[in-house]
Amino acid sequence: MVAGASSSCYASPLCDWLVGACMSSGGDRLLQSDTKSSRRSTLLTKSKCSSFSSSSSTNGSAGLVSNCNSNALPSLFFESNNNSYFNRKQGRLNQASSSGQVALEMEKEAMVKKKPPLESRRVVVTGMGVETPLGHDPHTFYDNLLQGISGISPIENFDCSAFPTRIAGEIKTFSTEGLVAPKLSKRMDKFMLYLLTAGKKALADGGVTEDVMAEFDKSKCGVLIGSAMGGMKVFYDALEALKISYKKMNPFCVPFATTNMGSAMLAIDLGWMGPNYSISTACATGNFCILSAANHIIRGEADVMLCGGSDSVIIPIGLGGFVACRALSEKNDDPTKASRPWDSNRDGFVMGEGAGVLLLEELEHAKSRGATIYAEFLGGSFTSDAYHITEPHPDGAGVILCIEKALAHAGISKEDINYINAHATSTPAGDLKEYQALAHCFGQNPEIC
C-alpha cells in the first residue's frame, strides 16, 4: 500500500505506473494496499521543486548495548602438592584477569568514542521510467490514464483460444534500441528488458547524464527493482528444450530466471556498487522495493537508488496458473471493462506486464545537482496478514495495521490523506475486505477521493 500527504498543486504519476509490473500504484496523495499475505505501505509528499515547507518525520535509531563481564572470572579451588603447578595456574589466572581489565577499558573507550546517531536523511523522487501497455514514458502513460484509455486487449503473444481467459494488459510494441545490447536482448527474459529500459529512462528523466554520473560515488548508488514472478519465459523455454536434450537449453536459463538478476544486470551496466538485490512479494513487490530502497538512503548506506518492479508472465504457464486458481476475469467480450473493482459483477483481475522504476535520492544530494524533485518520501510500514495464501484476513487486520503503522512512521494523521489508490483486485473477497479496512481507517475523511 502506498499512502501520501501532498503539498503540491498538481498530480503526477509517481508510482501509478507500477501497475503494469506489480499491480501496485500511486500518485499525489495515495494509499495502496495489498490484500494478500504480504503487505507494505509507503508515504510520499508531492513537490515540484527542491524546497519543502514541511520536514519529514524524524527516524529513531536503536543501539545495541553489549554487556560483557570479561573480568569476572570463576573461582577455582583445587588441591595440589606441586607448588610449581599452582604457581603456573595462578599466573594464568592473573593474566586472564589483566586481559579482562583491558577488555573492559576498551569497551568503555568504545562507548565514549561511539558515533552519534545519523541525522535524519530526507528522501526524494527525482526520476521516473516506465514500460507499460499505455505508454513507454510517464507522461504518455499518465495522460492515457486520465483519458480513461485501457491497456487491456486480446492476447496476441500466443494462442490462448483454449483458455477461459483470453485478455491481458499486453505490451504490443517494445524496443530496447540504444538501451540494451542486441546480444543480451535476444537472451534475456522480458521482465529484465523492461527493467533495464525503465531504469535507464528513470535516470534520463532525472537528468543523470554521463557527466552527472561521473560525479556520483558509485559505492553509494544501488539498484532494488523486484519481480513477483521472475524470468518464467526463460525457464519455461528451458524446460521445453530439456525435453529434447540438455544441450538445447539456454546456458543463461538459470541466472536469467532469478528475480535478482535484473537489478544485477542494471548495476553491472551502470557500475553501481551499492545495495543490489531483489524483493519478491507478489502484488506488493514494487512497494516493498521502494520502501527498502528509501531506508537504505535514510540509514546512510546509499545516496541514490533505482527502485520499483517489473514482470512479464503473459505466457501459457503464467495464464494457466492464474486460471487454475480462479483469480482471473473471464469477460473476454468486453476487455476494457473486465477489471471492475468494487462492482457487484466483478469476477477477478486481469493480468498485465511492464515495469515502473523510481530514482530516489537523498535530498541534499539531489539539490546539489539541481535535480527536479517530484515528491518526498515520508515513511512506510511492512505487515503481513498471516492468514491465508490468497485470501485477505476476514476483518482486514493486515491492511489496517499497515496503514496505521505507515501513518505513525510518517508523522501524519489520517485526516491528512485525501486520496486513496487501492489494490482493488476485482475479486469478490479481496475488494470487500479491503473496502472495510479503508472505511475503518479513513471513513471520517470528508474530502477523500
Side-chain angles (χ1 to χ4, degrees), residues 6-8 10 45-52 373-376:
S6 170
S7 62
S8 74
Y10 78 107
T45 296
K46 284 282 189 209
S47 176
K48 290 196 293 183
C49 59
S50 59
S51 62
F52 294 87
I373 294 177
Y374 292 106
E376 180 179 10

Side-chain angles (χ1 to χ4, degrees), residues 342-422:
W342 323 119
D343 190 280
S344 59
N345 294 319
R346 64 190 184 279
D347 68 333
F349 68 86
V350 180
M351 291 176 65
E353 65 177 351
V357 178
L358 294 178
L359 175 63
L360 299 186
E361 285 187 66
E362 192 274 326
L363 176 59
E364 297 305 319
H365 186 279
K367 290 168 66 175
S368 67
R369 68 179 188 87
T372 297
I373 294 177
Y374 292 106
E376 180 179 10
F377 170 91
L378 292 184
S381 175
F382 300 107
T383 65
S384 171
D385 267 351
Y387 176 72
H388 188 269
I389 296 176
T390 57
E391 292 182 11
H393 195 282
D395 59 9
V399 181
I400 294 171
L401 178 62
C402 195
I403 292 171
E404 292 177 343
K405 289 179 66 177
L407 292 171
H409 185 222
I412 61 176
S413 67
K414 297 176 182 179
E415 290 71 29
D416 293 325
I417 304 298
N418 71 350
Y419 177 82
I420 295 176
N421 193 321

Side-chain angles (χ1 to χ4, degrees), residues 325-348:
C325 64
R326 297 179 295 179
L328 299 182
S329 171
E330 298 181 8
K331 299 184 186 300
N332 301 299
D333 297 333
D334 195 3
T336 62
K337 297 180 180 179
S339 177
R340 50 182 76 193
W342 323 119
D343 190 280
S344 59
N345 294 319
R346 64 190 184 279
D347 68 333

